[in-house]
Amino acid sequence: MPQLLVIAFSFGYLALLFGVAYAAERRSAARKSLVANPYVYALSMAVYCTAWAYYGSVGRAAHQGLGFVGIYLGPGLLAPAWWLVLRKIIRVCRQQRLTSIADFISARYGKSAALGALVTGVCVLGVVPYIALQIKAIASSFVVLTGGQEAGASGAALFAAGTLAVFTILFGVRSVEATERHEGVVLAVALESLVKLLAFLLLGAFVTFGLFGGFADVFDQAAAVPALRQLFTLKGTGTTGAEWLTLLVLSMSAVLLLPRQFQVAVVENVDENHLRKAMWLFPLYLLVINVFVLPIAFGGVLRLGGRGFDADTFVLALPLATGHSWLALLTYLGGLSAASSMIIVETIALSVMMSNHLLMPLLVRVPATRPEGQRRWFAYLGRIALTSRRLAVVLVLALAYGYYAGVGRQLPLVNTGLVSFAAVAQFLPAVLGGLYWKGGTRRGATLGLLAGFGVWFFTLVLPTLVGPGRLPVSVLSDGVGGLGWLRPGALFGLDGLDYLSHGLFWSWFFNVGLYVGLSLAWPPSALELRQADVFVDVFRRRSLAEEITGWQGSTPLPDVRALLLGFLGKRRTNQALRAFAERFPDALSFTSDQLTVNSSQPSPTEQSAPSKLTTDKEKLTSSPVHQFTTATTSPPHQLTANAADPRLLTYAEKLLAGTLGPASARLLLASVAGAEEISYDNVVGILKESQQLLEANRQLHKQRRQLQRLTDELRQAYDQLQVLDQQKDEFLYTVTHELRTPLTSIRALAEILADNPDLEVEERQHFQLTIGREAERLTRLISLVLDLEKFESGQASLVRTPLGLAEVVAEAVEAVAQLARERGTELRVDVSASLPSLPADRDRLMQVLINLLSNAIKAAVPGRPGRIAVLAWPAADALLLCVEDNGKGISLAEQHQIFDKFFQAQNQTMRKPEGSGLGLAITKKIVELHQGRIWVESAPEQGARFFVELPLAVPARAAAPFSPSFLP
Amino acid sequence: MLFVAGLFAVLLNYPLLAAFDHAGRVAGVPVLYLYVLLTWLLLIGITGWLVRGER
């Protein structure tokens, strides 16, 4: 294709990106964000698919079959765990205002500046070749498309790098505050993800369905070629299990830790809930973009094999060779978008890291010469931070270009990428350990990382430096310095692994070993402990306010203000301090006056950025526990009008961390404001205090529970009383009712007698007899009620004498014999006279027996001869007495109620009651007074057996009065 | 979620992967490719479904 056309399209495409980014920034300023939705978030994550994925996957597939897919499968496998891991990282970063992987590791391990610099160094060294790779991809695809010479490639590469540098500086490094989101960049990246996906799918469909007759056809034709048929299996391509696993693990760590992934997934995250959609959208994207890789690879080999094409260029060469140059152009644009999005995001991330971790920690150590000059120095530093970031963008791209021009041209796409992955994978132990293990220390992380990085360099980078004019080949075969165990490909003689697994194994071996070992060997410092707590328990503490402040002493407030003013500018500083004052009126009461003096009416622009203000407010939600803690750390009376509250210092540190990185922010605040770092004793003191608070809290909880229990018990007692009260009412009602019945008949008969003096003698006698009987019944009833009352009030006492049961039974039987004869009931007694004597109240026992016997007689079924048996036998320490009848029986439900007062009366209102309904109730009371038991076994129409168990020995308690009850 | 990730990590690794690592083809597509792609798709589906269910 004509060069000019390709250049014009490239230019046009990049201009489109500028336009999109600009539009997004405008919309963002107008608070109509185009970016705040999960789809853009997931698409922007697809910056993972670089030009390497675009061109290199096909190249790798053409040589190694399915092996390429591991790099995309890894993130897919990790994605379900994002909700646990990535969300935690996002939460930590938002709370701590961290903006890069270097920030994260440095902040976790005691805000160490050295560790931040080390991480930055590893990132730059590991990732710059990767960026170079993208530049190379752009350049070589340009060459393939235009059919030009290799010489033209350098020009294209330089041109691309330059344009992207401008874009990155314009949209990526806008403000000194690194926590600011780059909506323009994110939208551009999301768009690029869409472009590369569509372009690749279009090409894939063209190859599969245009050049061939569908998937089956491609594979059929490939199967005919032995070299290709081998690629159908992993065995055939020589991909071992270890290599496969290594690819998965590497890509998993890369998708989490690569600077660009960290940038889009964590820093540019708008809402944690977007993660939910991204968790399946992003893997789906990876799956879809990979579906056509194998058909394109096979198609390329089948159609272009033997024509000297590099497999990496099949994507472009296939449509070109078949005369579809427009499709080739589209594919080229897809590749361009893949490369440029990666370059832009990676460069932004790297530039912030370099400025915050390599430059700023040095600059903030430079003390201001005079206190008056301090403020100017801060403002100057703020400007330096921004400028240095822009310079870093240029530097990174220049380095990448230099690498490309110097060494990069010979390397295949995929290898450089994997080596870069392995470098970033060195962060994994420190990051995961930092998130889930409180014991990890700065020393362990630093040395582990250093060792891992060293081994990475030795095993994975050194071999690439071998070649004519560089390192001798003997390094590989004989080891460094002729030492056999120092061979980069088989360190310590470990042979038989592919180079990647080998490198990853050894680097992680030393990395993890040193990290864990040293962490366990030396205890962490106070600051490290605090940070460990903040990171690991991030979901437990909900706000800044719950943190222990970590600052003490009195820092002049104007100094803190000056510091913030220098870095954040007047508007932002006032905004932030106002948010703080709103949250902690006690901490900043005097400054709020100052604030109102200083700040003018809120301008429209100020209102346009309230999102930041609200996030600040959210972070400042307080808890009473904390206020207590800080109040005791610095008692109010120490707060002179000039000193800043420790909470303000923490807040300021966090604000600055968002700009300069955690380590620099801490250094700055410590050195310039003159605040002392909190000592170990103070931490212990604070911890003790919170321990005491917790203890007090626990006590309160306990008391509350006790009160609750008491209340419950009272309520229960009250309910019981209510029931008893009701029972008493019922009892009274029943008793009066029972009394009225005989009274009524007595009165009626008496009236008849009085009104009719000429009544016949026989009739008169009958009436008089009836009156007598009813009066008797009345008397009996009253004495029963009195009896019962006696029992229930506990006034009844027993006169125990040793009794022969047989004798008592015989007497009782005699008493009811008349009644039995009347009813035609047969009475059988089987009580041996040799039973041990029973200590009991004779009269009461008699009452029990007569009651049971007369009940049994009355239970007889009319028309059937009643049979009653009285049995007794000794049981352990007791005598058992049984009165058995063949009467109408008692249903199971009634068996529980028959011992209640007036049960019969309540139950048989329809018929004339045959007894008072108090007999069994009294019987039960008597038996219980003897410490005995009474129960019944029966079924309807099956007769009934009443058992009475009476103890032979009188327990000690027997002397005690009968337990009082609530009953009347 | 962690369980799903773990399960599929086992499904898509040796030695289980080796079971599908032979030259046979289903509907013209090599078994291995089909297995990996379909398992992957299943994983995405399950993740999507689980995430929905939590909402």
Side-chain angles (χ1 to χ4, degrees):
Chain A
M1 282 190 96
Q3 269 201 19
L4 226 58
L5 190 69
V6 178
I7 290 175
F9 264 93
S10 311
F11 231 139
Y13 178 71
L14 289 176
L16 177 72
L17 283 190
F18 275 83
V20 167
Y22 183 67
E25 294 283 350
R26 288 291 295 270
R27 288 288 290 262
S28 158
R31 304 234 292 131
K32 287 182 212 144
S33 175
L34 293 166
V35 174
N37 69 70
Y39 301 100
V40 171
Y41 181 59
L43 276 178
S44 69
M45 276 188 174
V47 71
Y48 182 71
C49 295
T50 61
W52 166 34
Y54 201 81
Y55 299 113
S57 287
V58 171
R60 197 171 158 88
H63 296 300
Q64 304 200 343
L66 198 61
F68 78 94
V69 94
I71 294 162
Y72 308 97
L73 202 50
L77 286 176
L78 183 67
W82 273 359
W83 193 245
L84 297 174
V85 182
L86 190 55
R87 191 170 62 109
K88 193 165 188 183
I89 297 180
I90 292 176
R91 181 71 66 86
V92 168
C93 287
R94 187 146 308 159
Q95 226 174 59
Q96 302 278 308
R97 293 181 162 251
L98 307 178
T99 57
S100 66
I101 185 75
D103 272 7
F104 186 89
I105 294 179
S106 145
R108 165 62 180 82
Y109 299 103
K111 306 192 176 173
S112 155
L115 194 53
L118 175 64
V119 173
T120 307
V122 173
C123 276
V124 171
L125 284 178
V127 170
V128 160
Y130 198 8
I131 298 178
L133 193 73
Q134 308 301 318
I135 296 177
K136 176 186 167 179
I138 295 178
S140 53
S141 64
F142 179 78
V143 170
V144 169
L145 195 63
T146 55
Q149 302 299 308
E150 274 296 308
S154 301
L158 193 59
F159 176 73
T163 315
L164 290 174
V166 171
F167 181 90
T168 310
I169 288 172
L170 271 184
F171 293 102
V173 192
R174 294 168 59 83
S175 148
V176 71
E177 257 188 287
T179 38
E180 197 186 49
R181 298 197 181 88
H182 310 103
E183 301 222 335
V185 172
V186 172
L187 193 67
V189 166
L191 179 76
E192 297 206 275
S193 296
L194 217 52
V195 169
K196 69 190 174 203
L197 178 69
L198 290 180
F200 199 80
L201 287 184
L202 213 59
L203 175 76
F206 161 73
V207 172
T208 313
F209 300 105
L211 296 184
F212 294 88
F215 287 106
D217 187 35
V218 180
F219 291 118
D220 279 342
Q221 293 198 25
V225 182
L228 289 185
R229 201 171 51 226
Q230 272 203 339
L231 300 184
F232 283 4
T233 61
L234 288 175
K235 271 194 302 250
T237 60
T239 308
T240 61
E243 193 175 351
W244 179 256
L245 185 65
T246 304
L247 282 178
L248 291 186
V249 170
L250 266 186
S251 56
M252 278 185 202
S253 67
V255 83
L256 210 56
L257 304 175
L258 274 174
R260 66 169 187 279
Q261 293 304 129
F262 198 89
Q263 181 79 26
V264 291
V266 178
V267 181
E268 309 284 357
N269 175 282
V270 182
D271 181 349
E272 277 178 19
N273 277 318
H274 290 174
L275 211 50
R276 290 176 185 277
K277 274 227 164 55
M279 275 164 67
W280 61 272
L281 268 178
F282 175 56
L284 189 65
Y285 182 98
L286 294 181
L287 176 74
V288 169
I289 207 170
N290 278 304
V291 163
F292 286 112
V293 169
L294 283 161
I296 294 175
F298 290 152
V301 175
L302 287 170
R303 292 293 152 95
L304 305 172
R307 283 203 236 163
F309 278 107
D310 183 358
D312 283 350
T313 63
F314 279 170
V315 174
L316 286 174
L318 263 175
L320 273 181
T322 49
H324 294 81
S325 49
W326 284 102
L327 187 60
L329 183 65
L330 184 67
T331 321
Y332 161 78
L333 286 183
L336 181 63
S337 66
S340 58
S341 59
M342 182 278 185
I343 294 176
I344 291 166
V345 182
E346 202 87 84
T347 314
I348 292 173
L350 280 183
S351 71
V352 173
M353 277 161 77
M354 285 166 80
S355 141
N356 279 1
H357 290 277
L358 295 182
L359 187 64
M360 292 326 275
L362 296 178
L363 287 184
V364 296
R365 274 179 227 256
V366 178
T369 40
R370 286 164 304 155
E372 308 89 72
Q374 232 178 17
R375 192 160 159 173
R376 241 186 333 199
W377 172 237
F378 294 149
Y380 190 52
L381 274 184
R383 273 207 303 282
I384 289 182
L386 192 58
T387 317
S388 69
R389 250 171 244 168
R390 292 188 172 140
L391 284 176
V393 169
V394 177
L395 182 67
V396 167
L397 284 173
L399 275 176
Y401 180 77
Y403 185 87
Y404 157 72
V407 266
R409 284 192 219 201
Q410 294 94 343
L411 293 177
L413 287 179
V414 119
N415 286 354
T416 318
L418 284 176
V419 171
S420 173
F421 274 22
V424 174
Q426 301 307 321
F427 301 144
L428 197 67
V431 168
L432 286 189
L435 273 181
Y436 295 101
W437 183 43
K438 285 188 189 177
T441 64
R442 179 180 58 82
R443 200 189 298 257
T446 312
L447 288 175
L449 200 54
L450 260 181
F453 185 63
V455 175
W456 166 80
F457 187 83
F458 185 75
T459 55
L460 295 176
V461 180
L462 208 60
T464 66
L465 299 180
V466 170
R470 284 174 287 179
L471 288 174
V473 189
S474 64
V475 168
L476 290 185
S477 51
D478 302 339
V480 174
L483 297 169
W485 53 273
L486 269 184
R487 273 181 295 151
L491 193 60
F492 306 122
L494 183 75
D495 232 335
L497 282 175
D498 60 292
Y499 77 104
L500 205 59
S501 309
H502 170 263
L504 189 68
F505 171 77
W506 278 122
S507 60
W508 268 6
F509 178 82
F510 286 105
N511 191 339
V512 176
L514 282 174
Y515 172 60
V516 175
L518 291 179
S519 293
L520 291 177
W522 276 279
S525 72
L527 185 60
E528 284 171 63
L529 269 180
R530 186 168 75 98
Q531 289 301 102
D533 208 48
V534 168
F535 273 57
V536 175
D537 292 337
V538 66
F539 286 121
R540 262 186 247 160
R541 63 184 79 237
R542 254 171 286 123
S543 63
L544 165 103
E546 281 176 48
E547 271 174 47
I548 300 165
T549 60
W551 291 102
Q552 60 172 351
S554 53
T555 307
L557 183 75
D559 284 4
V560 181
R561 260 181 71 80
L563 191 64
L564 291 176
L565 275 176
F567 283 97
L568 303 179
K570 197 168 182 174
R571 184 166 65 83
R572 182 77 183 92
T573 305
N574 284 337
Q575 217 176 57
L577 284 181
R578 242 201 319 277
F580 181 80
E582 258 172 52
R583 191 50 239 152
F584 300 111
D586 58 320
L588 217 67
S589 50
F590 45 92
T591 29
S592 45
D593 307 334
Q594 227 170 312
L595 278 173
T596 37
V597 174
N598 278 336
S599 61
S600 51
Q601 289 292 313
S603 61
T605 40
E606 231 168 313
Q607 282 172 335
S608 72
S611 60
K612 207 159 282 152
L613 199 62
T614 35
T615 46
D616 289 335
K617 273 185 208 155
E618 278 161 20
K619 284 180 186 152
L620 287 166
T621 40
S622 164
S623 79
V625 174
H626 165 77
Q627 288 188 341
F628 187 75
T629 317
T630 41
T632 41
T633 332
S634 64
H637 59 79
Q638 277 187 10
L639 273 177
T640 61
N642 246 347
D645 188 272
R647 277 168 286 176
L648 179 63
L649 290 181
T650 310
Y651 183 58
E653 186 192 344
K654 206 153 281 187
L655 280 176
L656 289 175
T659 306
L660 299 172
S664 311
R666 181 158 198 89
L667 280 171
L668 199 61
L669 214 58
S671 69
V672 177
E676 287 163 28
E677 215 177 273
I678 195 154
S679 71
Y680 191 76
D681 290 343
N682 280 81
V683 173
V684 170
I686 293 168
L687 285 178
K688 259 190 199 144
E689 259 160 34
S690 42
Q691 199 87 42
Q692 281 163 2
L693 274 177
L694 278 178
E695 186 51 41
N697 199 3
R698 225 183 338 253
Q699 288 289 345
L700 276 177
H701 266 290
K702 212 164 116 191
Q703 279 173 8
R704 198 183 62 99
R705 269 200 307 275
Q706 279 171 347
L707 278 176
Q708 183 71 44
R709 212 172 45 230
L710 251 151
T711 315
D712 287 349
E713 279 170 10
L714 275 175
R715 184 177 304 279
Q716 268 177 12
Y718 176 77
D719 289 347
Q720 213 174 341
L721 273 176
Q722 289 265 310
V723 170
L724 289 173
D725 189 48
Q726 203 185 343
Q727 279 179 359
K728 190 195 75 181
D729 285 350
E730 270 172 26
F731 180 77
L732 276 177
Y733 173 80
T734 328
V735 166
T736 43
H737 182 78
E738 287 291 311
L739 290 177
R740 209 174 52 186
T741 319
L743 268 180
T744 314
S745 70
I746 289 172
R747 213 181 90 198
L749 290 172
E751 270 169 17
I752 294 174
L753 285 177
D755 291 350
N756 306 295
D758 49 350
L759 223 64
E760 275 176 38
V761 177
E762 202 177 316
E763 214 166 348
R764 183 188 295 268
Q765 264 177 354
H766 174 68
F767 282 170
Q768 281 165 347
L769 267 178
T770 314
I771 288 174
R773 223 172 31 240
E774 289 295 316
E776 215 174 289
R777 186 173 153 203
L778 203 57
T779 318
R780 205 167 54 232
L781 191 68
I782 289 173
S783 60
L784 276 177
V785 170
L786 284 176
D787 249 11
L788 191 68
E789 197 276 335
K790 224 174 177 180
F791 282 120
E792 294 197 329
S793 63
Q795 284 169 2
S797 57
L798 296 177
V799 186
R800 285 180 194 260
T801 45
L803 299 175
L805 192 60
E807 190 194 327
V808 182
V809 170
E811 204 174 315
V813 166
E814 206 175 309
V816 296
Q818 175 64 28
L819 184 65
R821 265 197 300 280
E822 277 171 18
R823 303 273 180 122
T825 305
E826 181 195 329
L827 262 171
R828 191 168 60 84
V829 178
D830 184 7
V831 180
S832 161
S834 62
L835 284 173
S837 66
L838 187 73
D841 188 311
R842 187 189 172 89
D843 294 345
R844 299 292 188 201
L845 191 57
M846 187 70 100
Q847 206 177 344
V848 168
L849 282 167
I850 291 176
N851 239 323
L852 291 178
L853 284 168
S854 56
N855 273 353
I857 294 167
K858 284 181 220 159
V861 182
R864 187 166 72 188
R867 268 201 305 275
I868 295 171
V870 182
L871 312 164
W873 62 92
D877 298 335
L879 278 183
L880 263 173
L881 184 80
C882 173
V883 178
E884 186 180 349
D885 67 63
N886 65 339
K888 58 190 179 224
I890 307 155
S891 75
L892 197 64
E894 288 184 337
Q895 283 175 25
H896 297 293
Q897 299 174 342
I898 51 171
F899 295 107
D900 290 351
K901 286 165 293 189
F902 294 111
F903 165 70
Q904 192 183 35
Q906 287 165 9
N907 216 32
Q908 296 181 345
T909 43
M910 304 306 288
R911 289 185 286 151
K912 185 185 180 309
E914 287 197 68
S916 62
L918 287 174
L920 276 175
I922 288 175
T923 303
K924 186 166 189 245
K925 292 285 176 204
I926 293 172
V927 172
E928 281 174 353
L929 204 55
H930 280 88
Q931 268 89 41
R933 289 191 303 140
I934 182 168
W935 70 96
V936 63
E937 284 175 6
S938 176
E941 305 305 323
Q942 300 288 314
R945 267 192 216 120
F946 280 85
F947 291 92
V948 176
E949 189 191 60
L950 292 168
L952 280 175
V954 183
R957 298 187 288 123
F962 185 69
S963 67
S965 98
F966 290 108
L967 284 171
Chain B
M1 283 292 183
L2 215 55
F3 168 73
V4 172
L7 175 71
F8 278 84
V10 172
L11 281 181
L12 287 172
N13 252 308
Y14 282 93
L16 261 178
L17 202 58
F20 294 88
D21 199 7
H22 57 78
R25 284 191 287 155
V26 175
V29 183
V31 181
L32 179 68
Y33 300 175
L34 211 59
Y35 170 70
V36 170
L37 285 183
L38 290 184
T39 314
W40 192 358
L41 200 62
L42 185 67
L43 169 63
I44 294 169
I46 289 180
T47 310
W49 182 72
L50 280 179
V51 167
R52 254 172 115 86
E54 272 181 24
R55 203 169 267 266

